[in-house]
Amino acid sequence: MEMEAGSTSASGGGTQAHSYSPLRSKAFYKFTQQNLPACKPNLTPARVIVIFLLAGVVFIPVGLICLRASESVVEILDRYDIECVPESYRNNKVAYIKDSSISKNCKRLIKIQKHMKAPIYVYYELDNYYQNHRRYIKSRSDKQLLHGLEYKDTSSCRPEEYNNGLSIVPCGLVAWSLFNDSYTFVREAVELRINRRNIAWKSDREHKFGRNVYPFNFQNGSLIGGGNLDPDVPLSEQEDLIVWMRTAALPKFRKLYGVIEEDLQADEIIEVHLVNNYNTYSFGGKKKLVLTTKNWLGGKNDFLGIAYMATGGFCIFMSILFALIHVKNPRPHGDPTYSYGNRKSTTS
Amino acid sequence: MSRKTRFWTGGERRDAGRKVKIHRGDGTFEFTEWKNLRVGDIVKVEKDNFFPADLVMLASGYDDGLCYVETMNLDGETNLKLKQALDATSGLQADSGFQNFKAIIKCEDPNASLYTFVGTMEYEEQQYPLSPQQLLLRDSKLRNTDYIYGVVVFTGHDTKVMQNATNPPSKRSKIERKMDKLIYLLLLLLVLISFIGSVIFGIITSDDIQDGKMKRWYLKPDDSSIYYDPKKAAVAAILHFLTAMMLYSYFIPISLYVSIEIVKVLQTIFINQDIQMYHEESDKPAHARTSNLNEELGQVDTILSDKTGTLTCNSMEFIKCSIAGTAYGHGFTEVERAMARRKGSPLMENEQSEENYEHPKLAVKGFNFDDERIMNGNWVNEPHSDVVQLFFRLLAVCHTAIPEVDEETGKISYEAESPDEAAFVIAARELGFEFYQRTQTNICIRELDPVSGMHVEKSYKLLSVLEFNSTRKRMSVILQDEEGKLLLLSKGADSVMFERLAQDGREFEDKTKEQMHEYADAGLRTLVLAYRQLDEEEYKSFNEKFMAAKNSVSADRDEKIEEAADSIERDLILLGATAVEDKLQNGVPECIDKLAQAGIKIWVLTGDKMETAINIGYACSLLRQGMKQIIITLDRPEIIRLEKGGNKDAFAKASRDSVIYQINEGKKLLSSSSTESFALIIDGKSLAYALEDDVKNLFLQLAVGCASVICCRSSPKQKALVTRLVKAGTGKVTLGIGDGANDVGMLQEADIGVGISGAEGMQAVMASDVAIAQFRFLERLLLVHGHWCYQRISSMICYFFYKNITFGLTLFLYEAYASFSGQPAYNDWYLSLYNVFFTSLPVIALGVFDQDVSARLCLKFPMLYQEGVQNVLFSWLRILGWMFNGVCNGVMIFFFCTTALQHQAFRKGGEVVDFAVLGATMYTCVVWVVNCQMALSVSYFTLIQHIFIWGGIALWYLFLLAYGAITPTLSTSAFMVFVEGLAPAPSYWITALFVVVATLIPFFTYSVIRMRFFPMYHNMIQWLRFDGHADDPEYCQVVRQRSVRPTTVGVSARIDAKLHSQPAASRRESS
């Protein structure tokens, strides 16, 4: 960076400045004359090489660290939405799921591939589910969630605002479509303790869902959406609801179900008893159960690591390329003599 | 018609208070308001008043019906013009004379031509032809004449000056007009993507219920509002289209218009504040009167300049003379000074020291002569002292000026018909030949008697005056001195004078010619002085002939007078030559040189005579020796004969044909030679034909091919028409510069009108877009401010599109993942504040403060200006490039963010990324990317830029903190998102770092490669400055030569031409 203080114009006949306004401070004068001290960054080859090199040197290690972190995570995915439908209903899954007389219980076996260190997070993953649909995302009333029945203006909740002429708490499509599959994990005939508390964001529990708001007139309509809620538990403790109502950004998303606070050993078989209640069949969404450990960065995702390394690699490559060009052909950037060949040598 | 009326009401209001004396029918005159004048009224106008309408003069306070008028508002000239009433009416010198006055005037229809008038007056049963000599034009002023009587022939809008007025146009810069097109393009794009979105939305929505079965049951499609109703998917899609238009409106930078206005106003403040465009003597800073056209100043292709008052100071100075073959006077003209400065020759120091000691003496206006050999009476010691004496005596008596003695100081000033004549009389006075009295028959001067060394008063009897006119190009007086000797003293243009010299009068001819050639090349106005002694006989016979001719009333009277004069003005004896400088304003030659180097074409449009215009052409280095002049004129014998013949149609046709012929000849000449440079000089009469619809393109082609163009004798209307022709014909930006009321049309018609806020009135300044005090400030105004503003505005607009496209595209892509339901990826407040807080200030700073090249280097490398003329910084390629960059950045930000923050846990509690977190992260990346992009593209980092750019980013975090802290019912999805969600999560920071760097790398690589391998001109200058070579003259020269095409006008070109011709000349000499 180079500092160039104000330069005086070479134009003929410029009047002297100081006689004009002796009172004004020098800085202000420089400001009005557009002559403030400034640095004028210039992309010289040396700087370019250094910048690229620096970026490369920083990015590749960061990428390696990220990649390592991601690899250290053990993640088990189990898609169950098809297997849990009895063979006879495979062709009409929607009928199966809508038929409340059929038992929805289902048993899955999961083999642990690698040692999993507690805490182990249990997620359900839905696909092709548009929680970010405008109609859906708007259909809630944050004020009602906080204040309950006192808050009357719930027009935003439509079409899940009233049922039988009474307000619904919590109102809106989001709450109405609450996910209601449930999972129990059994290891060697012993049920694994799964912690289902503190799975929602703290701020949600404390500030967005009322402590004295209880579900009312919920899922009482002709059309039952998703899960029901215990009318005796205040909303701030209905953590499944809170998690569900924190809408996902993209159509494929995971939501936290609970945390297993025991290590799982490699080659252990875990029995999962699940109740397959939730209808994803009508829109062809997948349902997956996810067991995963975590690291400091979060869950398993190789993208950051690879992307960092690729970018770093590109930077190093550019740096070397420019260094080579510069060494082979040290034209002082934009030197016009270059384009004239050896003009100087002929004149001298 | 109503529009016109409205337009002129302003003028009428201005005139409302002005009154004039009007004849009431019984020989008395009363005051009435101007607006009450009707055609046919007889008015009396008194000294120093403006004429209220176009009048035909009947009589004046002088017996011979003469009057003097000042036509400054019409043609910019300040010298007085002589008008003369018809002899038949000039006797009506009293109010009472009009009691029974009756006459019929027939004249042409109202038109815009100031220099023609055709009509007849039938008075006392006799027809008299009327000519422009009798016409007094509105807006000119009666001077030196007590009163005149006149008949109103045109009033109001019919007057010639009003016919010359043009409606003030509203001006918008080319860049803004192009920007409009861009906005249309973006609007189209907006409609297109909204349409695509709507179609997809419609399809998805109609899919939600199929055969009575709901697909996405969680949306309750069976109980839907109209916006999402699958049964009326088409309606939903149309409504969605409207939603989408709103949502994607970020593609269209509405705030751009506001920002541009702010930026332009600030830019104008900087222009107004520039101390180097501040004229101390008149206490006038530059004043940009409109902020619309700042960037247009950086794109000027052609400058159309007025002459008087703009290029010149409108003062004539006697500067040199050649007497008896010896050159006297060693003052330097502006051109010589400029050339010396350019060459850096020792002349400059000489001149400077000289100037220092010269300055106190320079008190006499019109006189800048300095030569101790003849000053202060020293001429008596010169070898040809008798010639010197006669020379100055001639200057003192051969003129038509009137002395005015200031009664208090005894000082004498002169009222002359032309400023050069005044300069002669003043010169004679300063050198000891003081003309102090003129009577009907005598001219009295005080002169130094070489024998006694005393000042003696001498009176010469004035026998005849052979007046100056444009065909004769000379004037003579015949007088008798106190000893009874008869002398004919004559001065005139070299073209007519040399051929009239006697065989024995050519003693000094060669030397004089040589010196005159030098003077002419320096832009000086030269006249040849010669005399002749007459004997009684000869004079008598001449006088008879002359008086007879004068008294004749036949049509060929003028010819007879001319013939008589011609017979006596021969066998003259050469005395010498004078050189008068039409003083250029300070720094004009250098300024023109710089502008020429910057590739700007300069046309001079003047109301002056052709000779004067050509002189100034030389003085400004627009013309030089060795340049081929193509002169188009109707001053040709055959045309004049036709004009005299009175057959109007034949005359018009012949004139037209002649003009076309001359233009075609010029074009042939032009195409025959590629090495020579040409200058086109055209006079007003020819211009009238050249501007006709079917000829004007031909004319333009010729004019564009010439290095310089000078239009002389052009009326205000013609000036405006020429400007329009250039503007429309070339499609380039034109700049009109002028100072007088006669330039108003030109200033209004040009893309940019620059008014000189000099001494003459305010009309030009009022009609201008920028007012400067001196022509030379134009250099800084265009090359520095113009370039900066152009560069700033174009970068700013490009950047604005870029940042909005980047932002808009992330929204659009998110839509694609939200089944085009119209859900924005970001919180509403993020959306609204994007253009207001987080990204606006840096752009404004870019628009106001950025400097690609410092002012000093802008002036040093004038070719940089071509970037604006060729519009490289706002070409479609560059704009689309920036848009493409925006698209790339938007795509990269979206996909990098969504992939990096997919569905895995992203913080220690195992919570996953939700709608709020993804929005905030993506938004963070957008704010960082567009601000860092700004930092990459800014080439001038002051503290202000730092504050705005980094402040914009910091503001985003502050906002997120503040907004997240208020109650969740207001902050909705942003509640605690930063404190609880983003800040503690390493993956947020790592993702942001990656996205920002990775997104900027392509642009960075691009600019590095461009800088290294394909630098633009300003890049090269940046290199130069960086390497510290900017002060190495040799190095700069090389850079300059790389892209400077050789200029054909200007001081530099002149020096080059001289350098080229010198070796040739020396070769010739040696052979």
Side-chain angles (χ1 to χ4, degrees), chain A residues 13 35 45 55 66 81 86 117 122 163 169 194 197-198 210 238 249 255:
Chain A
N35 235 338
C66 291
D81 58 323
K117 206 168 161 288
V122 179
N163 201 2
V169 181
I194 178 159
R197 305 213 42 99
N198 294 336
Q238 305 262 14
K255 288 199 181 277

Side-chain angles (χ1 to χ4, degrees), chain B residues 489-601:
Chain B
L489 302 177
S490 183
K491 64 178 185 193
D494 50 356
S495 57
V496 293
M497 292 300 280
F498 280 116
E499 65 191 36
R500 296 179 181 277
L501 296 182
Q503 273 315 316
D504 55 347
R506 295 174 180 264
E507 195 182 332
F508 320 114
E509 189 184 354
D510 290 342
K511 278 194 170 170
T512 310
K513 268 189 175 163
E514 196 179 300
Q515 279 148 10
M516 282 182 73
H517 189 72
E518 272 170 37
Y519 296 158
D521 194 31
L524 299 175
R525 254 192 239 202
T526 56
L527 280 182
V528 177
L529 271 52
Y531 78 105
R532 162 177 192 207
Q533 238 169 27
L534 301 174
D535 50 47
E536 294 274 350
E537 288 301 305
E538 203 177 356
Y539 174 70
K540 241 183 209 159
S541 68
F542 158 76
N543 200 31
E544 269 167 32
K545 223 188 330 178
F546 187 62
M547 290 316 282
K550 254 191 146 176
N551 292 331
S552 78
V553 284
S554 60
D556 56 353
R557 170 175 173 256
D558 289 350
E559 271 147 63
K560 278 188 179 163
I561 295 177
E562 205 164 300
E563 217 179 281
D566 198 47
S567 67
I568 193 125
E569 288 170 329
R570 30 181 96 241
D571 300 330
L572 303 172
I573 297 160
L574 182 67
L575 288 170
T578 57
V580 171
E581 186 183 12
D582 188 354
K583 199 139 170 49
L584 288 180
Q585 289 200 359
N586 237 337
V588 166
E590 286 107 327
C591 177
I592 287 183
D593 186 38
K594 268 277 160 58
L595 296 176
Q597 282 179 33
I600 305 173
K601 294 186 201 79

Side-chain angles (χ1 to χ4, degrees), chain A residues 4 9 13 19-20 33-34 36 39 43 123 130 134-135 160 203 246-247 249 279 294 299 301 308, chain B residues 217-220 273 275-276 776 792 814 821-822 851 905 908 910 914-915 940-941 980 990 1023 1025:
Chain A
E4 185 172 308
S9 162
S19 53
Y20 181 50
Q33 297 309 306
Q34 310 191 50
L36 287 172
C39 73
L43 295 172
Y123 297 95
Y130 287 89
R134 188 174 170 83
R135 172 169 162 86
E160 275 296 308
S203 63
R246 186 119 190 160
T247 45
N279 176 10
K294 70 144 192 180
N301 188 346
Y308 259 102
Chain B
W217 56 269
Y218 51 91
L219 297 175
K220 272 206 170 177
Q273 289 282 338
I275 199 83
Q276 288 178 47
R776 69 183 143 94
R792 288 167 181 173
Y814 185 75
S821 58
Q851 297 176 9
K908 56 181 188 304
D914 71 327
F915 176 74
Y940 183 77
F941 258 104
E980 191 191 15
I990 290 177
W1023 283 131
R1025 192 205 60 229

